[in-house]
Amino acid sequence: MKGEEERKKGRVVVEMVGGKSTVTRCFSCYPLKLIFPNKVASSKSDSVWIYALSYGGGIVSGDQISLEISVGDGCTAALTTQASTKVYKSVDSKCSEQCLEARVGRNALLAVIPDPVTCFSTARYSQMQLFRVYSDSNLVIVDWVTSGRHESGERWEFDHYKSTNHIYLDGDQPLFLDSVLLDKRSGTSIVELMQEYQVIAMVIISGPKLKDLRCQLQEEVKQMMSSHLRSPNNNRSHHIKSEPRHDPTRPLLIASCSTFGPQALGMVVRVAAVTTESVYMFLRHHLTALKPFIGASPYCQAGR
């Protein structure tokens, strides 16, 4: 058992104890560190917050990090980070890897709401996220990546980035399968593919508790993009010094929504943006409805 745990690097079990969501088991080992601050959520909420950190402030070439999370029936948990996940340059073409495997119980909720991944020049990075849910489980996933260190002039200069998200219903029934691959060796350069956009993001929302959030978000995205089409030059968002100059004929942020699963159980929102801050603003605004569930509004901490 010890050898299996070491390979996993980290494990968290959240169960109902005395009528409250409680961490009943946890461990982590280098290069992963887990902390469980108790002042993030409101004292009135029933939720556990989990912060995943890496020693040295980033992921080193060749690192392999894996984390298993189990959220028991009726429990609520939020998994986040303290800052962007920095992936340092690759040495000898080694690829850094992260794997998250999560089980979400009946009437439970898991919100995976990290800061973005930022790959340095020549970095090679791959992540796999696997979720197993029930029809009454509730799940929020935010998965996003920036073009690199803007302050150093790096824009999509990493060698390889891959992010895979799979959700399975009732054990082994595929509910949502998605993979994003950005590779320098592909026929079209990443810079050319992304044009002026410096951030791409995906937000997945599923489960009966979050139906109102899905409906509201879908309507607001539809209205936002319709407004852009009617008046593409009406862009009031400010620019950040480290961000690139933007063609005023293009929206600062574009988004699309689509549903998936039986009876539209889930929804995926895809976003491309010129600035990282504009995505933070998008997430803060549209995910604030999670506060009653997880006890705090995502991405509203100082510095974000």
Side-chain angles (χ1 to χ4, degrees), residues 101-122:
E101 185 172 352
R103 297 177 182 273
V104 186
R106 296 186 180 279
N107 198 37
L109 187 152
L110 172 63
V112 181
I113 45 176
D115 292 281
V117 172
T118 296
C119 295
F120 288 22
S121 176
T122 76

Side-chain angles (χ1 to χ4, degrees), residues 164-235:
T164 301
N165 288 278
H166 288 178
I167 305 174
Y168 291 93
L169 181 64
D170 297 328
D172 58 1
Q173 179 183 346
L175 179 64
F176 180 85
L177 306 176
D178 184 86
S179 185
V180 173
L181 175 63
L182 300 173
D183 193 286
K184 200 171 186 178
R185 296 172 297 182
S186 63
T188 304
S189 71
I190 303 175
V191 173
E192 183 180 350
L193 181 67
M194 293 300 172
Q195 299 180 24
E196 294 180 335
Y197 293 101
Q198 306 299 320
V199 186
I200 57 172
M202 179 173 68
V203 182
I204 302 168
I205 303 171
S206 69
K209 284 184 179 180
L210 305 175
K211 181 179 179 180
D212 289 344
L213 172 57
R214 291 197 302 275
C215 293
Q216 179 182 352
L217 179 51
Q218 188 171 32
E219 182 61 28
E220 289 181 354
V221 167
K222 181 180 178 180
Q223 292 179 3
M224 179 184 71
M225 296 314 299
S226 295
S227 175
H228 283 319
L229 290 174
R230 289 194 301 269
S231 182
N233 293 323
N234 186 19
N235 205 327

Side-chain angles (χ1 to χ4, degrees), residues 78-298:
L79 174 66
T80 188
T81 54
Q82 285 187 317
S84 63
T85 298
K86 300 175 181 63
V87 183
Y88 297 124
K89 66 180 182 179
S90 176
V91 177
D92 298 328
S93 297
K94 292 180 181 178
C95 186
S96 304
E97 298 179 357
Q98 281 205 105
C99 179
L100 170 65
E101 185 172 352
R103 297 177 182 273
V104 186
R106 296 186 180 279
N107 198 37
L109 187 152
L110 172 63
V112 181
I113 45 176
D115 292 281
V117 172
T118 296
C119 295
F120 288 22
S121 176
T122 76
R124 298 181 61 83
Y125 175 77
S126 177
Q127 69 176 26
M128 172 69 187
Q129 299 190 136
L130 174 63
F131 303 88
R132 299 190 185 278
V133 301
Y134 297 96
S135 58
D136 58 352
S137 301
N138 303 275
L139 180 64
V140 176
I141 306 167
V142 177
D143 184 14
W144 53 319
V145 60
T146 74
S147 62
R149 294 180 294 177
H150 298 161
E151 70 279 2
S152 300
E154 294 181 2
R155 306 194 192 284
W156 306 114
E157 293 184 11
F158 51 82
D159 286 352
H160 177 89
Y161 170 86
K162 184 177 183 180
S163 180
T164 301
N165 288 278
H166 288 178
I167 305 174
Y168 291 93
L169 181 64
D170 297 328
D172 58 1
Q173 179 183 346
L175 179 64
F176 180 85
L177 306 176
D178 184 86
S179 185
V180 173
L181 175 63
L182 300 173
D183 193 286
K184 200 171 186 178
R185 296 172 297 182
S186 63
T188 304
S189 71
I190 303 175
V191 173
E192 183 180 350
L193 181 67
M194 293 300 172
Q195 299 180 24
E196 294 180 335
Y197 293 101
Q198 306 299 320
V199 186
I200 57 172
M202 179 173 68
V203 182
I204 302 168
I205 303 171
S206 69
K209 284 184 179 180
L210 305 175
K211 181 179 179 180
D212 289 344
L213 172 57
R214 291 197 302 275
C215 293
Q216 179 182 352
L217 179 51
Q218 188 171 32
E219 182 61 28
E220 289 181 354
V221 167
K222 181 180 178 180
Q223 292 179 3
M224 179 184 71
M225 296 314 299
S226 295
S227 175
H228 283 319
L229 290 174
R230 289 194 301 269
S231 182
N233 293 323
N234 186 19
N235 205 327
R236 299 186 180 91
S237 298
H238 68 277
H239 295 287
I240 299 174
K241 289 183 180 180
S242 60
E243 303 288 357
R245 294 179 64 85
H246 177 60
D247 182 348
T249 64
R250 297 188 185 188
L252 190 67
L253 182 146
I254 56 176
S256 66
C257 293
S258 58
T259 59
F260 62 85
Q263 299 179 337
L265 179 64
M267 182 181 74
V268 57
V269 183
R270 300 185 189 275
V271 176
V274 172
T275 69
T276 305
E277 178 56 29
S278 64
V279 181
Y280 271 121
M281 292 172 62
F282 179 91
L283 295 172
R284 279 194 291 264
H285 174 69
H286 293 291
L287 297 183
T288 189
L290 289 177
K291 184 176 181 178
F293 300 105
I294 63 176
S297 296

